[in-house]
Amino acid sequence: MQIQCKALTFTVSSISAKPKLPFRSSITLPAWRQPTLPSFRSSKSLALRRCIRNCSTPNQEELVVVDGVNGNRSEVIDVGVENAISAVEVEEEGKKGDDLANQSIWGQMKEIVMFTGPAAGLWLCGPLMSLIDTAVIGQGSSLELAALGPATVVCDYLCYTFMFLSVATSNLVATSLARQDKNEVQHQISILLFIGLACGVMMMVFTRLFGSWALTAFTGAKNAEIVPAANTYVQIRGLAWPAVLIGWVAQSASLGMKDSWGPLKALAVASAINGVGDVVLCTFLGYGIAGAAWATMVSQVVAAYMMMDALNKKGYSAFSLSVPSPSELLMIFGLAAPVFITMMSKVLFYTLLVYFATSMGTSVIAAHQVLLQTYTMCTVWGEPLSQTAQSFMPELLFGINRNLPKARMLLKSLVIIGATLGIVVGTIGTAIPWLFPGIFTHDKAVTFQMHTVIIPYFLALSITPSTHSLEGTLLAGRDLRYISLSMTGCFAVGGLVVMLLTNGGFGLRGCWYALVGFQWARFFLALVRLLSRDGVLYSEDTSRYAEKVKAA
């Protein structure tokens, strides 16, 4: 782009990663050979001043060139500076989305894999840490292994109830970037960082005051012997609550900017710290479950710091907090409430499984803990497919170049990848507790209980990635009411089924067959909605969905 003004030529180069000004440029003066003119930012011989005036359109600005020597006004040029900068930003931010939409189905699948691979770090970090704890602790004590069951419910499952922060952050950041308003992006990040910090401090205080009571109420009087060990783990992990939620906001902001490498780096470093810490503190120093908790807590803090540092390198301040106004809180609540209901339904159902398994004895609790941790570790591989749908679908559903056939083809690619991933992950995830139970425990009673639920374990695991693809598309289409109601219905019916099966004498198998029904019901409900003529992929009436996008 060139802007000519008399003898001056302004050559605007591409926008740098961290410009101090809206754009960087060089100035040459062809008519002069000596002296050499200083750079654009110099004010000794020439100054360039932007004067914003009332223009005919809100996006126009007047660029005023002023002679730096005598202060005389040389020329006034009416240019759409914002439009020029915005066009470059839109091209950079939307390049991946446009390329993905215009590719063939096999090209789409390749691009999806390239995006979702690094993005898996966001969801793998927590379950991987808990899985490492399970593997290390299981080598020493079956009692402490059983204590990890209710302890991880308090630490990990309660953490998932704040997933609305992640969804709200990625949505608001993406919306602000689409408006080419970086100040608004920073403001949204600052607000959500404050909310994350407030929620983290609240949960840290709750864990400190009511952690033991919650564990006692959850495990019941029959399993009082595991409460002290579980409480030790919970109290240490609880110290990381503020860092965990702030890290989630920073991670989600990076994903909203289509950066999926930050979570991958955080995963690698945090997992290494957790693994080494577990081995040193538990195996060599003999700290047991307390050592595992300290290793996990430190690794979570390091991961959060890495996410904040990655955000700072993008030109935003991850250490700037802003107290939200009542209207901003209401806006965030309107976006997050359906997501919160959805997440709570899933968390409560998994909590019910642990609750009923807890009443069946120590060996059953320990077996369920191993299976549930490996299951969670495997299912999170499907979460990046949901993130891909939320990142790339909105442009095809609500953008200027709205194209429903391409949106349906993108969903087809996601479902194919999800089905393939489900079979692969399901096979590997099932083989580990079936063929290599010694990784987690040497107790034969625990191993026997694990082997009784291998079939429902595979059936529940294999369908999960495809379900994530479908539910991510519903979230991208802002069909929030349907997905929250359907998830609530699955929880209500699934809870009734697990209660009937366990009371009917089916034991741990009853819990896992109830999970099979829960997962497959989610899949079919989401599929039926998306294939419906009133669904977001077919309906030409986008007013009810577009209003939610505009409000957000």
Side-chain angles (χ1 to χ4, degrees):
M1 180 180 72
Q2 290 190 342
I3 305 172
Q4 294 187 351
C5 175
K6 293 185 178 180
L8 296 177
T9 301
F10 296 80
T11 303
V12 181
S13 64
S14 60
I15 298 175
S16 63
K18 297 180 181 178
K20 294 182 180 179
L21 294 174
F23 52 87
R24 112 177 123 87
S25 64
S26 62
I27 299 179
T28 59
L29 193 58
W32 296 354
R33 294 185 180 276
Q34 295 291 336
T36 304
L37 199 66
S39 64
F40 172 75
R41 293 191 178 98
S42 175
S43 60
K44 293 182 180 180
S45 61
L46 185 67
L48 182 64
R49 186 171 65 227
R50 294 174 64 206
C51 297
I52 301 176
R53 297 190 173 185
N54 295 330
C55 302
S56 58
T57 62
N59 290 329
Q60 288 184 337
E61 293 183 356
E62 287 188 351
L63 188 64
V64 181
V65 181
V66 180
D67 186 348
V69 177
N70 52 28
N72 293 331
R73 177 171 174 155
S74 297
E75 186 70 24
V76 178
I77 309 170
D78 190 11
V79 294
V81 178
E82 278 191 25
N83 288 341
I85 299 171
S86 301
V88 178
E89 289 181 347
V90 169
E91 182 179 357
E92 291 178 350
E93 295 293 337
K95 184 177 180 181
K96 291 182 181 180
D98 293 338
D99 292 344
L100 192 64
N102 294 325
Q103 289 180 359
S104 65
I105 187 169
W106 295 109
Q108 283 185 350
M109 292 171 64
K110 179 181 177 181
E111 292 296 326
I112 290 170
V113 171
M114 292 178 64
F115 176 79
T116 58
L122 175 63
W123 295 273
L124 281 172
C125 193
L128 181 59
M129 293 176 186
S130 295
L131 184 62
I132 293 172
D133 291 347
T134 301
V136 174
I137 295 223
Q139 302 299 321
S141 170
S142 296
L143 179 65
E144 290 188 343
L145 179 60
L148 275 180
T152 52
V153 167
V154 175
C155 295
D156 294 335
Y157 290 177
L158 284 182
C159 194
Y160 289 134
T161 62
F162 293 94
M163 184 62 76
F164 70 89
L165 278 175
S166 176
V167 176
T169 300
S170 59
N171 181 277
L172 293 174
V173 167
T175 302
S176 299
L177 284 175
R179 296 171 181 166
Q180 293 86 43
D181 192 342
K182 292 189 176 181
N183 290 330
E184 184 181 357
V185 174
Q186 178 63 65
H187 182 62
Q188 301 289 5
I189 292 174
S190 298
I191 287 176
L192 289 160
L193 284 171
F194 176 83
I195 295 175
L197 177 62
C199 293
V201 172
M202 178 188 67
M203 289 305 301
M204 183 174 65
V205 173
F206 172 83
T207 300
R208 184 66 180 175
L209 298 179
F210 303 105
S212 179
W213 170 83
L215 290 168
T216 302
F218 186 81
T219 57
K222 294 181 179 179
N223 300 285
E225 69 275 6
I226 68 175
V227 172
N231 188 51
T232 299
Y233 186 87
V234 167
Q235 294 300 327
I236 297 172
R237 286 279 304 269
L239 298 175
W241 268 108
V244 169
L245 296 187
I246 287 178
W248 271 22
V249 172
Q251 286 175 333
S252 301
S254 296
L255 285 178
M257 300 170 190
K258 294 184 174 66
D259 172 26
S260 57
W261 285 101
L264 181 62
K265 295 176 183 178
L267 167 69
V269 175
S271 299
I273 293 174
N274 189 42
V276 172
D278 276 344
V279 173
V280 172
L281 294 176
C282 300
T283 304
F284 292 104
L285 299 181
Y287 283 99
I289 196 170
W294 279 112
T296 303
M297 189 272 290
V298 171
S299 63
Q300 286 179 323
V301 173
V302 171
Y305 174 78
M306 290 186 64
M307 287 296 95
M308 297 175 72
D309 183 62
L311 200 59
N312 286 332
K313 291 179 180 178
K314 294 181 180 68
Y316 299 96
S317 176
F319 300 98
S320 175
L321 304 180
S322 179
V323 180
S325 65
S327 60
E328 289 170 335
L329 279 176
L330 185 62
M331 179 265 296
I332 294 174
F333 177 80
L335 179 65
V339 179
F340 176 77
I341 293 173
T342 300
M343 293 305 303
M344 280 299 298
S345 297
K346 289 195 285 188
V347 169
L348 289 175
F349 183 77
Y350 286 116
T351 303
L352 274 180
L353 295 181
V354 178
Y355 175 79
F356 282 105
T358 302
S359 63
M360 300 176 190
T362 303
S363 61
V364 175
I365 301 173
H368 184 71
Q369 169 65 16
V370 171
L371 292 171
L372 197 59
Q373 289 302 323
T374 54
Y375 176 85
T376 304
M377 181 68 189
C378 293
T379 56
V380 295
W381 285 98
E383 290 285 358
L385 297 177
S386 176
Q387 180 65 48
T388 302
Q390 295 177 61
S391 298
F392 296 105
M393 278 288 186
E395 183 178 1
L396 300 176
L397 298 176
F398 307 112
I400 297 175
N401 300 319
R402 183 170 182 261
N403 195 320
L404 294 184
K406 287 184 178 180
R408 291 192 288 269
M409 187 172 73
L410 177 58
L411 177 61
K412 183 178 180 180
S413 300
L414 290 170
V415 172
I416 291 174
I417 294 174
T420 305
L421 185 64
I423 294 174
V424 173
V425 173
T427 302
I428 296 175
T430 304
I432 292 174
W434 184 23
L435 301 177
F436 309 102
I439 297 176
F440 304 100
T441 181
H442 297 292
D443 192 321
K444 293 184 179 180
V446 176
T447 302
F448 173 78
Q449 291 293 335
M450 291 165 56
H451 287 170
T452 61
V453 295
I454 289 299
I455 294 177
Y457 180 91
F458 174 80
L459 293 176
L461 184 57
S462 59
I463 195 60
T464 303
S466 297
T467 304
H468 287 155
S469 301
L470 300 177
E471 292 179 345
T473 304
L474 289 175
L475 289 173
R478 300 302 183 266
D479 200 353
L480 302 177
R481 184 173 181 270
Y482 178 83
I483 192 172
S484 59
L485 289 177
S486 63
M487 189 65 68
T488 304
C490 288
F491 163 68
V493 176
L496 180 62
V497 170
V498 69
M499 182 179 65
L500 293 175
L501 290 178
T502 53
N503 291 336
F506 288 92
L508 189 59
R509 286 180 299 174
C511 293
W512 281 89
Y513 274 110
L515 179 60
V516 172
F518 180 78
Q519 295 294 75
W520 281 86
R522 288 171 55 194
F523 172 80
F524 282 114
L525 286 172
L527 181 64
V528 169
R529 180 64 170 181
L530 290 172
L531 296 181
S532 170
R533 291 300 170 184
D534 293 331
V536 69
L537 291 180
Y538 288 93
S539 176
E540 295 296 334
D541 180 17
T542 61
S543 58
R544 53 180 173 172
Y545 304 113
E547 287 176 0
K548 297 176 183 178
V549 176
K550 188 181 295 185

